[in-house]
Amino acid sequence: MYEHDVIVVGAGGAGLRAAIAAHEAGADTAIVSKLHPVRSHTGAAEGGINAALQEGDDWELHAYDTMKGSDYLADAPAVETLAQDAPEETIQLEHWGMPFSREEDGRVSQRPFGGLSYPRTTYAGAETGHHLLHTMYEQVVKRGIQVYDEWYVMNLVTDDAADPNDRSCHGVVAYDVQSGNVQGFKANSGVVLATGGPGQAFDHTTNAVSCTGDGHAMAYRAGAPLEDMEFIQFHPTSLPSTGVLISEGVRGEGGILYNAKGERFMFEHGYANNSGELASRDVVARAELTEVGEGRGVDDEYVHLDMRHLGEERILDRLENILHLAEDFEGVDGLVEPMPVKPGQHYAMGGIDVDENGQTNINGLYAAGECACVSVHGGNRLGGNALPELIVFGKRAGRHAAGEDLGEAKIRTGYGDDVEDEDADLPVTPGSAGIDTTSGVAADGGVAAEADGLLERAVERERARVDHLMDKDDGVQHAQIRAKLQQAMTDYVNVFRTRDGIEKALRVIRECRQEYQDVYVDDPSRTFNTDLQQTYETRNLIDVAETIALGALVRNEFRGAHWRQENQERRDDEWLKHTLISWDDGEPSIFYRPVILEGQDKTYEPKERSY
């Protein structure tokens, strides 16, 4: 057994920042990650970090843009915290040596991004996330923070209090990919989940193969609700053949979208008469798919993104990486021809229900980054707001997990708060279908049991599960189940959604859950067994996909990234509330919580969102 004060699960931007903050607060801190830190998916973030740094800009404008972009489903206290803290955290990165792009006078460069009223996106070429990871990993190494890389966390270890709000998290159980050992990690102060998004629930995604919703699923099964999971962002510009991201920075620098007729459709067809290509991502993604659906797509599949007019010098200075991606994956030279692009699953606005300090309803369990929902993005995330979220709320979660008092949280978390009298109208009862869903909760320990005993029993359970999966001679391979799940989510829970389609997706998800009961691991090796790890990941994807589809089913309105054919209006009178889904022993339960529109000195009144 390994023992530390704070265990951070995941080594992307949020995890690294949380670990640094916990260490600075005096905690013995360790990172447990299934990837080496600089291979984390944060490295794929190309665009930049929104921060009000320049004269003429201020945090209040940033907060307003974010609330508007969220379609008024973000919580104002979280949004204002993001906007207020982002400048300091961005400057801290600069002081740590992050190589931001600069103007001729030496100031860091800032470019326009979609949905922003001011060019406040600070960047490092088109590789901002890559440089952010290396900068913060250097700080982790400098401080001597222990990193257990290529350890896959299988489950959380909590006690068995009947009320999830009374539970405590004592650590995690993880699989050492190199040796094949399953071990416990005891956390004396707190566990911070920073495991990234669930993009692999879809088959066309900008997300890495490692983005399998592990933190979401583990926290969910342990008793932490998931919030606003229906809100999935589809980035307007991914490469058709692979889903590889083409940065919003291309459009921020002046890139233009054309349809097959050569029309600049964002303006000419009235999708965004003021902002055009720099409308918010949900608006642009829907516009592109509408063009394709109405017969104006190139090869009936995609549109063109053109940056040739920017000139070779500017492209090489600010967007060189984009040239390499287009050439390597599509065979297109962006200097002389337009690039093919289409929407791809990119980001989850929802996640584990947390307050602005990263705390869940389970004592000692925190979450930060894309796996968490402090509700700073609401129904739609603005480009450039993901990276500041990582560093702002990663820092806060790390400090709080280490025992620092950050003051009373304004945003509540909980299990079953504000339950509505009406029953959710679900077409199927998804159920656990016999799937092994233990969260590490001790079957015989009780809340007074020693943490060591809880960990030992949780470790033995996971070892027995591994033996069961590997001792089977035949059955269903996880890859078959995952492919079926991904196809259903892409077909039915994509940019355009219908009730009938979502119900079909839920039926497929239930079939996947049933088939998973016969899953086995074909690779007999006990070391470097990626088949075993991916089998665990597929279980997590099933759970997370179900919450996405259920949230999409019950929210019968059109808000942000959630488009419903049957409901083409935003319904503020009924739906200014967050959707929360709790596990309830495998029977998902849906409840709601009001959106907080009251900030420090103002209330953000919902308005029509136009660009």
Side-chain angles (χ1 to χ4, degrees):
M1 182 188 301
Y2 300 91
E3 183 174 349
H4 299 273
D5 294 333
V6 175
I7 302 290
V8 179
V9 182
L16 294 174
R17 190 66 187 91
I20 294 168
H23 179 271
E24 290 179 338
D28 171 20
T29 304
I31 297 171
V32 185
S33 174
K34 65 182 179 181
L35 300 170
H36 188 277
V38 298
R39 293 190 61 213
S40 299
H41 187 59
T42 301
E46 297 165 355
I49 302 170
N50 289 341
L53 298 173
Q54 296 187 38
E55 184 178 351
D57 194 12
D58 61 54
W59 73 263
E60 291 179 313
L61 287 174
H62 185 187
Y64 174 79
D65 291 343
T66 300
M67 289 297 293
K68 176 183 175 182
S70 78
D71 225 347
Y72 299 95
L73 201 74
D75 285 327
V79 169
E80 292 188 344
T81 298
L82 175 80
Q84 288 173 323
D85 291 1
E88 177 184 349
E89 287 302 303
T90 304
I91 292 169
Q92 177 66 79
L93 287 173
E94 198 269 347
H95 288 176
W96 282 340
M98 183 160 168
F100 286 112
S101 297
R102 296 184 179 271
E103 301 298 325
E104 291 185 1
D105 62 4
R107 292 180 301 167
V108 295
S109 298
Q110 291 189 290
R111 59 167 54 123
F113 248 46
L116 298 183
S117 59
Y118 199 92
R120 67 173 65 94
T121 307
T122 310
Y123 59 96
E127 307 90 33
T128 309
H130 172 81
H131 292 297
L132 184 147
L133 275 184
H134 281 264
T135 299
M136 288 203 292
Y137 180 55
E138 182 180 68
Q139 296 301 312
V140 165
V141 173
K142 177 181 177 180
R143 288 163 171 76
I145 296 171
Q146 178 71 53
V147 179
Y148 300 90
D149 63 277
E150 296 195 341
W151 279 81
Y152 177 70
V153 174
M154 298 164 143
N155 249 324
L156 301 174
V157 180
T158 66
D159 53 50
D160 67 345
D163 184 346
N165 291 323
D166 295 331
R167 289 179 190 159
S168 294
C169 182
H170 300 281
V172 302
V173 180
Y175 165 75
D176 181 3
V177 176
Q178 181 176 359
S179 70
N181 292 328
V182 176
Q183 298 289 344
F185 287 78
K186 182 181 177 182
N188 295 319
S189 180
V191 171
V192 181
L193 295 174
T195 52
Q200 287 300 316
F202 296 81
D203 74 349
H204 186 82
T205 176
T206 67
N207 286 196
V209 294
S210 60
C211 297
T212 51
D214 300 327
H216 295 74
M218 290 188 293
Y220 178 49
R221 294 192 297 263
L226 299 185
E227 178 179 352
D228 291 341
M229 292 298 290
E230 62 266 35
F231 293 103
I232 298 293
Q233 182 166 91
F234 294 84
H235 198 288
T237 55
S238 72
L239 295 177
S241 63
T242 59
V244 167
L245 176 68
I246 296 299
S247 171
E248 190 164 314
V250 175
R251 287 174 286 134
E253 294 294 337
I256 296 173
L257 291 169
Y258 294 109
N259 61 20
K261 296 183 177 181
E263 297 169 321
R264 193 176 179 181
F265 57 88
M266 291 303 300
F267 288 106
E268 294 186 39
H269 293 178
Y271 297 110
N273 293 325
N274 296 318
S275 301
E277 286 84 4
L278 286 179
S280 65
R281 289 176 174 176
D282 58 326
V283 173
V284 181
R286 284 192 296 272
E288 291 179 358
L289 289 182
T290 299
E291 291 297 298
V292 172
E294 294 182 357
R296 296 185 294 274
V298 181
D299 295 335
D300 295 323
E301 182 184 4
Y302 53 83
V303 297
H304 275 143
L305 176 61
D306 195 353
M307 63 178 183
R308 295 173 292 179
H309 56 286
L310 301 179
E312 182 174 355
E313 181 179 354
R314 186 174 179 182
I315 292 172
L316 290 176
D317 178 48
R318 301 187 176 193
L319 301 167
E320 181 179 4
N321 185 49
I322 303 304
L323 291 176
H324 299 313
L325 294 176
E327 175 65 34
D328 292 346
F329 293 104
E330 298 290 346
V332 170
D333 183 352
L335 293 174
V336 298
E337 56 189 325
M339 298 174 287
V341 293
K342 74 175 188 179
Q345 190 282 338
H346 181 60
Y347 189 87
M349 274 73 76
I352 303 164
D353 179 32
V354 297
D355 64 22
E356 59 267 43
N357 298 327
Q359 174 73 61
T360 72
N361 62 309
I362 298 172
N363 183 48
L365 180 63
Y366 298 79
E370 190 175 351
C371 75
C373 183
V374 66
S375 194
V376 78
H377 305 305
N380 173 69
R381 176 175 71 81
L382 293 183
N385 267 356
L387 295 186
E389 180 194 19
L390 301 183
I391 53 180
V392 167
F393 294 105
K395 176 181 179 179
R396 294 178 72 89
R399 290 172 61 192
H400 203 278
E404 276 200 27
D405 183 3
L406 302 183
E408 184 177 357
K410 299 181 179 67
I411 298 168
R412 294 179 297 117
T413 63
Y415 185 102
D417 294 348
D418 301 317
V419 177
E420 298 203 341
D421 293 332
E422 60 186 353
D423 294 327
D425 182 16
L426 306 180
V428 294
T429 303
S432 60
I435 193 171
D436 177 7
T437 57
T438 55
S439 65
V441 175
D444 55 356
V447 296
E450 291 290 335
D452 289 354
L454 289 171
L455 272 130
E456 289 170 3
R457 285 188 287 275
V459 169
E460 289 307 312
R461 258 193 309 278
E462 293 307 326
R463 287 175 178 167
R465 177 165 173 74
V466 169
D467 290 341
H468 170 74
L469 290 170
M470 297 189 65
D471 289 345
K472 290 182 65 176
D473 294 329
D474 58 20
V476 181
Q477 293 187 343
H478 84 89
Q480 297 173 245
I481 301 171
R482 187 183 296 200
K484 181 176 180 177
L485 178 80
Q486 291 171 327
Q487 191 62 56
M489 292 295 288
T490 296
D491 287 347
Y492 303 123
V493 199
N494 209 293
V495 173
F496 296 131
R497 300 169 175 180
T498 67
R499 180 179 182 87
D500 180 63
I502 299 167
E503 289 175 350
K504 288 178 180 176
L506 283 166
R507 285 192 285 270
V508 172
I509 291 167
R510 185 169 192 182
E511 291 171 7
C512 291
R513 197 180 285 283
Q514 294 282 5
E515 292 169 6
Y516 192 88
Q517 305 317 304
D518 197 30
V519 76
Y520 80 111
V521 175
D522 190 43
D523 183 352
S525 171
R526 289 282 173 169
T527 61
F528 295 102
N529 194 329
T530 55
D531 190 28
L532 172 64
Q533 176 180 321
Q534 290 165 2
T535 299
Y536 265 79
E537 291 171 337
T538 296
R539 174 182 69 165
N540 293 335
L541 286 170
I542 293 170
D543 289 341
V544 175
E546 182 176 86
T547 66
I548 295 170
L550 285 173
L553 180 69
V554 299
R555 184 174 287 272
N556 52 6
E557 67 159 353
F558 171 17
R559 185 183 298 269
H562 175 63
W563 182 97
R564 278 288 296 268
Q565 184 182 63
E566 303 89 351
N567 307 100
Q568 285 295 292
E569 294 181 354
R570 193 179 76 191
R571 299 167 59 187
D572 292 339
D573 57 335
E574 183 180 356
W575 283 104
L576 273 175
K577 58 188 180 184
H578 300 295
T579 309
L580 293 108
I581 303 180
S582 57
W583 176 250
D584 286 355
D585 295 325
E587 298 292 337
S589 177
I590 297 175
F591 60 102
Y592 302 95
R593 181 181 300 131
V595 175
I596 304 173
L597 297 176
E598 296 77 26
Q600 294 178 3
D601 301 312
K602 64 182 296 185
T603 297
Y604 297 85
E605 297 291 345
K607 300 176 182 178
E608 181 182 355
R609 193 166 63 103
S610 60
Y611 292 96

